[in-house]
Each structure stands twice: as structure tokens, then as C-alpha cells.
Amino acid sequence: MPTVSVKRHLLFQALGRSYTDEEFDELCFEFGLELDEVTSEKDIISKEKGEEKAKGASETVLYKIDVPANRYDLLCLEGLVRGLQVFKERINLPRYEKIIPPQGEVQRLIITEETVQIRPHAVAAVLRDITFTKERYDSFIDLQEKLHQNICRLRALVAIGTHDLDTISGPFTFTAKAPSEIKFKPLNQSKEYTASQIMDLYRTDSHLRHYLHLIESKPLYPVIYDSNGVVLSMPPIINGDHTKISLNTRNVFVECTGTDLTKAKIVLDTIVTMFSEYCAKPFSVEAVEVVYPNGKTHIYPELAYRKEKVKPELINKRVGISETPSSLAKLLTRMCLKSHVVGNTLEIEIPPTRADVIHACDIVEDAAIAYGYNNIQMTVPKTYTIANQLPLNKLTELLRLDLAAAGFTEALTFALCSQEDIADKLGMDLSATKAVRIANPKTTEFQVARTTLLPGLLKTIAANRKMPLPLKLFEISDIVVKDPNTDVGAKNYRHLGAVYYNKSPGFEIIHGLLDRVMQLLEVPPNKENGYTIKATEGSAFFPGRCAEIFAKGQSIGKLGVLHPDVITKFELTMPCSALEINIEPFV
């Protein structure tokens, strides 16, 4: 969950009253938020860098509030205060208005076809006659950073640029050029750099270096120019210094470029709705015309309102309450979802600030929050169940205890391994293993899901070769194999694996462990209704030293002395015997 830091005195000033820390914590809970911490800048620096570094830092009290990840409208002081004030019914929900200037006066953003392969989408808007103070400016910048970290996915999906409109002139052009052809003075720098030099400049920057990979491998870099060739920004890296906004800025041009148009529209709507309250005409936003490469045009921001209809019975049933339709409409209106009763249904208006409402269940959740989770009466369910341990897990736990009592040490190894581990090192062909492959493995160590427990146990022994002999290890875990008969195309099996590593193979030790396991499972050593072993051959085992285990009328595994080639490939130097069986038939 994102955490929003707000100065307590500014928050209380905006709310029009003061709260104790406990009272505000309770208010946050009622609204579906959580007051995570009450701290100050000095306390934060003191914890992170020590008291010496914290000297002189501000002692202004900060509230750190945890906000749901999909509530982009609560990521700044303005949205938080607006939401709380509507919730407490101190103000009415504002109506956001899109103003389209007369023909010829509307700002235009032209997208060229060069951007298609890099960042194909762009949207824009203008905040006209806005008044900034130091606190408002800081909140404006902080909201952009919060959105970049959240919905923008570290600028991969959307990058935000804000510019002083009075320093530039439209129409604006969003295009892409070779790095050597782009030259401008980046934000807060003293001289001009080419795009390539800018990438080198910020390679060591603690903040911006995380975004360089988004475009550095591309042949063309995205860039936005005004009609005079002034660079506004090189998204998603840096804005130009020429268009830098300040406390004296009165008209702000907001552009959002990205790879996801839906996310870009949500981000633009969020920024302009949060800060349009500081415009000369509150909650009004000047529209911008975006021209696409194919000649089509679209007006942004959309600031779209939409209507949803929900049955009151659905809300009452899902939440577990029995409120009247008018009462439910009032609850939803407190959550910034203006509602009224139409016939026997609720008609809910979803404002542009509530991009998180995409289904009736989101409306039900807001009704539950407004009603108050603590106010919902606890009732005994009409049906009840008694929880019980899964039989397979219960058997696994019982076997673990007894195998440990038999002198074996439990190992827990990775469920993913390399292709070599389950094929080449065990003398098998990969196609014969029925292994489930990882589509985009980050490392060669995790290419496939294991089809046997043996490689993990042998690698554990290899990592503990300096321990006193003998080494006796076991593991009871799942293996995964392809199975076209299942809905997901693969199936898990619970296997028991054990290895004995010493100067002599110790086949009798492993055979004895098998007998002990069968004794615990109450499976007698006979052919009719018990278990038997039969000589066989296995690629991982020494010829003539391998047996197949049969029980419950089926083959359940193998035991034997490992082949010297297998031992060598796992970097071991002494003989080793192993056992692996499927325990699911015994459940």
C-alpha cells in the first residue's frame, strides 16, 4: 500500500478543525485508511542516519497514512482532505468541468508516427490561472512522484511532465529522434546536453538512473517540442529546464506520455482534478486537442462521468445489513459516489476521480466502509464447517517426524532447478522428464520445475561435504510433471526422497529406511496386498544395483546405488545410495 506523508498542521487547517492522534486514527479507520505512523522529518533522519545527521532538520509533525493502492485520488493532501470532508458531510462532492476554448485558441499536441514503436500514446490538459504556494507546489510535485511509483509502474507505463505554459507556445509536437539530434538543457542543469550525454549524466543519479533502461536501447528517443523548437521534455527521463514551473507559474501544461493509454488518461484525470481547486475557476480544466498520426483528433482530459445501477438487495446481502435504498444512497454519496434511488434500484454516478470503481463489488465495498465495519452485526453463519488438516499434509508431517527419529536430517530444497540437474546430470534426455519449463527464467538455476527430489538432495550434500560422515538426508515435498489430462497441463505429486552418503554405498541403510517407512504405513512385505521390490535399471543408478518398488498394485519409485557419473557431476567423491517414492497412494 502506498504511504502518503502529510504535515499535521496543514491537514488540520484544510479540514477546518484539529484532532488528537487517536481521533484522527479513528477517522482514518472509518474511511478505510490507516494512520501508519506519527513522526517528523527529524525523527526519520535520526532513525536512518543517526542523531548527528538529524540536527537542524524540521520537527514538524508528519502523519504517514496508508492508502489503498487503487485509490489514486487519495495520494495527495488535496484529495485526502476532499475525500474526508465529503465523508463527514461537511462539503458536497465537487463537479469537475472541462472547458474547451474557442476554435483557434485550443492548445494542440501533435503525435508523429515515429513514436509508435517507443511510447505511442500522449494526453494533455491545461490548469489555467492556478495559484501556487510553497505547500501546494510541494504537494503537486509529490503527487506526480507517487503516481510514478504506483499506477505508472516506475514510468514504464506512463510518464508525467508539467510545464509553465507561459514560457512556451503551441502547437506542441510529440515525436522521436536519434539521440544525437536531441539537444536541450535538462531540469536544474546549467548547460545543454545531447540525449546521449544526458543518459551518461544521469547514470549515477540515485533517482533518475532507474528509468534510463526504458529507452536507452531504442534507436530513437521520445521528445516533446513547442512550435519554436523548445524542448519540453524527453519522456520518461527528464523535463527541460526552460519550462520549469515555480511558485509564480500561473498556467500549467500537463502532458502524460506512455505505453498504456487507459493508464495515461487516469493519471491525467487524477492530476487535474486534484489541483484544479486552486484555479481561478475552481474544479475547471482547460482541454487540449491531441492529433494522432492518422489525422484523427481527441479532446483531453476526458473527465468522464458514468452511471452504474445496483440493486439495494445486493448491497444488503453482500455486506450483511438491512438498510433502506435511500440510506444506502446516502452512504455511497459520502464515499464520493453520488447516488439516488430510481424505482427499486440505486443509480450511482462514478466521478473521474474514482477509476478504482470497475464493478458492482467496488460499490458494495464503499457502502460497507461508509456503514462502518464495526457497526455490522456479527451473526452465526447458516452453514458451518469444521477445519481439518489435508490428509496428504497430515501424512507428510507424521513421516517427517519418524524419518528424523530414524537418524536422517530433513532438507528443504528449491522447487525450481536447472535443466541439467534433472536431465544431463542424471543421465536422462530432457524430453523424457516431462518437465514444466519456466517461460522467462531469470537465472539458469531456475529453468524448470523439479521432476525428482534427488538433485536437490545431492546439491545439499555437495554444499556440506566438510561435515562428518555419514551424511543422511531426506525431503518430503512436491514434484511437478506435465499432465495433459489436467486443466492446467501439469500435476503435483508428493514424493519422499532420501540419500545416504559415506565411504561405502550403504544400500542396506536405504533399504532399511524403506522397510521402516512401509512399517509405519502398515504395508506388509508381500506381493498380494503389500510391497515388493524388483530388480530394474535406471539411468541414475549403478547397473545391477537398482530396484523398483511396487505397492498398492503400482510402481511407486526406485531405490539403489547411484552411478559414479551422477556422483561426479554433482561434485561428490564418495558412493551414495538413494530412495525416492510417491507417498500419495498411501493417503
Side-chain angles (χ1 to χ4, degrees):
M1 290 173 72
T3 301
V4 180
S5 294
V6 293
K7 293 178 180 177
R8 186 173 65 181
H9 70 282
L10 292 177
L11 179 65
F12 290 170
Q13 182 181 321
L15 288 172
R17 59 156 292 185
S18 296
Y19 294 85
T20 64
D21 293 344
E22 292 75 18
E23 287 172 340
F24 189 73
D25 188 19
E26 184 61 30
L27 175 60
C28 285
F29 180 79
E30 288 176 13
F31 191 53
L33 309 178
E34 182 181 355
L35 179 59
D36 183 52
E37 188 180 3
V38 180
T39 184
S40 67
E41 187 181 313
K42 185 173 184 178
D43 288 340
I44 294 170
I45 297 172
S46 180
K47 284 179 185 177
E48 293 178 356
K49 300 179 181 178
E51 291 186 10
E52 195 64 33
K53 296 276 186 182
K55 286 182 178 177
S58 171
E59 294 188 33
T60 302
V61 177
L62 296 175
Y63 278 167
K64 286 194 168 187
I65 302 166
D66 280 344
V67 175
N70 60 351
R71 288 298 302 270
Y72 316 119
D73 58 314
L74 301 178
L75 289 174
C76 62
L77 174 70
E78 289 72 16
L80 191 63
V81 168
R82 199 176 303 160
L84 288 171
Q85 294 287 65
V86 172
F87 179 71
K88 298 303 285 185
E89 300 179 279
R90 295 186 190 130
I91 63 170
N92 293 321
L93 183 65
R95 186 87 186 175
Y96 304 102
E97 182 186 359
K98 175 169 63 178
I99 297 175
I100 302 177
Q103 189 67 29
E105 294 181 26
V106 64
Q107 296 290 349
R108 296 168 73 223
L109 175 61
I110 302 164
I111 305 175
T112 68
E113 60 184 13
E114 288 84 359
T115 64
V116 171
Q117 301 300 322
I118 308 158
R119 295 180 82 80
H121 305 295
V123 296
V126 174
L127 290 173
R128 185 70 69 178
D129 294 323
I130 192 170
T131 303
F132 281 120
T133 63
K134 178 69 169 64
E135 290 76 17
R136 293 174 184 178
Y137 176 86
D138 290 343
S139 181
F140 188 58
I141 300 300
D142 191 51
L143 174 62
Q144 294 174 55
E145 191 55 37
K146 285 283 191 296
L147 290 169
H148 277 149
Q149 297 291 325
N150 191 348
I151 185 175
C152 299
R153 294 293 184 271
L154 296 174
R155 305 190 188 182
L157 299 182
V158 184
I160 308 161
T162 52
H163 313 277
D164 189 335
L165 185 59
D166 296 328
T167 64
I168 46 181
S169 60
F172 306 100
T173 305
F174 176 41
T175 186
K177 290 188 175 184
S180 58
E181 296 178 25
I182 301 171
K183 190 172 184 180
F184 67 101
K185 185 163 74 170
L187 189 65
N188 298 326
Q189 295 296 325
S190 57
K191 65 175 185 176
E192 290 189 344
Y193 295 88
T194 65
S196 300
Q197 291 171 330
I198 288 172
M199 300 298 269
D200 293 332
L201 176 68
Y202 292 121
R203 210 168 295 283
T204 56
D205 186 276
S206 60
H207 177 58
L208 294 176
R209 63 187 171 90
H210 302 293
Y211 311 121
L212 301 184
H213 71 279
L214 296 173
I215 62 169
E216 66 179 340
S217 61
K218 308 287 184 185
L220 304 177
Y221 287 3
V223 63
I224 301 177
Y225 292 98
D226 79 345
S227 59
N228 298 319
V230 174
V231 173
L232 277 69
S233 68
M234 186 176 78
I237 309 302
I238 192 75
N239 288 351
D241 192 69
H242 182 90
T243 61
K244 179 170 66 175
I245 62 172
S246 66
L247 298 185
N248 298 320
T249 299
R250 287 293 167 264
N251 301 299
V252 178
F253 180 72
V254 184
E255 43 86 4
C256 298
T257 62
T259 56
D260 187 319
L261 181 59
T262 301
K263 296 282 195 297
K265 291 191 287 189
I266 291 172
V267 168
L268 182 67
D269 282 353
T270 301
I271 290 175
V272 297
T273 52
M274 293 302 102
F275 286 88
S276 57
E277 70 171 279
Y278 301 134
C279 293
K281 185 179 180 182
F283 307 114
S284 66
V285 183
E286 184 179 311
V288 170
E289 182 182 56
V290 175
V291 183
Y292 292 99
N294 61 7
K296 291 184 178 180
T297 62
H298 199 287
I299 298 294
Y300 293 103
E302 291 187 341
L303 295 183
Y305 285 84
R306 75 176 202 273
K307 298 272 179 77
E308 295 286 347
K309 290 186 177 181
V310 177
K311 295 278 187 185
E313 299 80 31
L314 175 72
I315 298 176
N316 282 328
K317 183 180 178 182
R318 291 283 183 267
V319 180
I321 55 179
S322 54
E323 293 293 296
T324 62
S326 58
S327 176
L328 291 173
K330 187 177 179 182
L331 291 175
L332 289 169
T333 301
R334 290 176 58 204
M335 296 301 291
C336 299
L337 300 175
K338 192 174 181 181
S339 308
H340 58 276
V341 183
V342 178
N344 61 347
T345 63
L346 290 173
E347 189 173 271
I348 300 120
E349 186 177 60
I350 314 298
T353 53
R354 294 300 306 273
D356 59 298
V357 179
I358 55 178
H359 189 274
C361 64
D362 298 308
I363 295 170
V364 172
E365 181 190 17
D366 272 10
I369 292 170
Y371 185 82
Y373 288 127
N374 288 340
N375 298 325
I376 300 171
Q377 292 296 316
M378 285 194 287
T379 58
V380 177
K382 293 177 182 178
T383 59
Y384 68 93
T385 57
I386 299 172
N388 208 344
Q389 191 174 16
L390 193 69
L392 181 59
N393 288 343
K394 186 173 183 180
L395 175 62
T396 299
E397 294 299 327
L398 293 171
L399 284 173
R400 278 177 175 149
L401 291 172
D402 280 294
L403 286 173
F408 280 72
T409 302
E410 184 173 19
L412 285 173
T413 60
F414 291 118
L416 301 180
C417 61
S418 69
Q419 295 179 1
E420 273 192 334
D421 288 344
I422 60 166
D424 298 346
K425 291 183 179 180
L426 297 181
M428 293 180 67
D429 185 69
L430 184 63
S431 59
T433 61
K434 295 184 180 179
V436 177
R437 301 190 191 192
I438 307 302
N440 54 340
K442 298 294 183 188
T443 169
T444 54
E445 285 296 303
F446 302 124
Q447 294 174 314
V448 293
R450 64 184 173 192
T451 57
T452 168
L453 301 179
L454 192 55
L457 291 169
L458 293 176
K459 286 161 81 173
T460 304
I461 289 177
N464 292 275
R465 282 172 297 184
K466 294 182 181 179
M467 299 292 286
L469 296 176
L471 293 178
K472 301 157 73 175
L473 297 181
F474 81 92
E475 181 174 9
I476 309 178
S477 294
D478 281 3
I479 60 105
V480 184
V481 292
K482 287 181 182 175
D483 186 348
N485 298 319
T486 62
D487 56 345
V488 294
K491 190 171 183 180
N492 286 30
Y493 291 96
R494 186 67 53 86
H495 274 206
L496 181 158
V499 293
Y500 177 82
Y501 180 73
N502 203 357
K503 293 177 182 178
S504 60
F507 180 79
E508 68 283 0
I509 304 291
I510 283 295
H511 195 320
L513 182 68
L514 172 65
D515 290 341
R516 175 58 179 157
V517 169
M518 292 301 172
Q519 184 185 38
L520 291 166
L521 294 171
E522 298 181 350
V523 180
N526 61 61
K527 196 170 185 179
E528 288 73 28
N529 57 357
Y531 76 97
T532 58
I533 62 172
K534 182 180 178 182
T536 189
E537 296 297 329
S539 60
F541 295 94
F542 197 83
R545 294 289 185 273
C546 176
E548 192 166 7
I549 306 159
F550 293 88
K552 304 277 186 178
Q554 60 182 298
S555 172
I556 61 168
K558 290 180 180 177
L559 80 159
V561 178
L562 294 182
H563 197 287
D565 289 348
V566 174
I567 293 171
T568 304
K569 286 174 182 175
F570 281 98
E571 301 176 6
L572 300 175
T573 55
M574 294 187 187
C576 185
S577 54
L579 157 73
E580 184 163 355
I581 61 171
N582 178 10
I583 65 169
E584 291 192 9
F586 304 105
V587 175

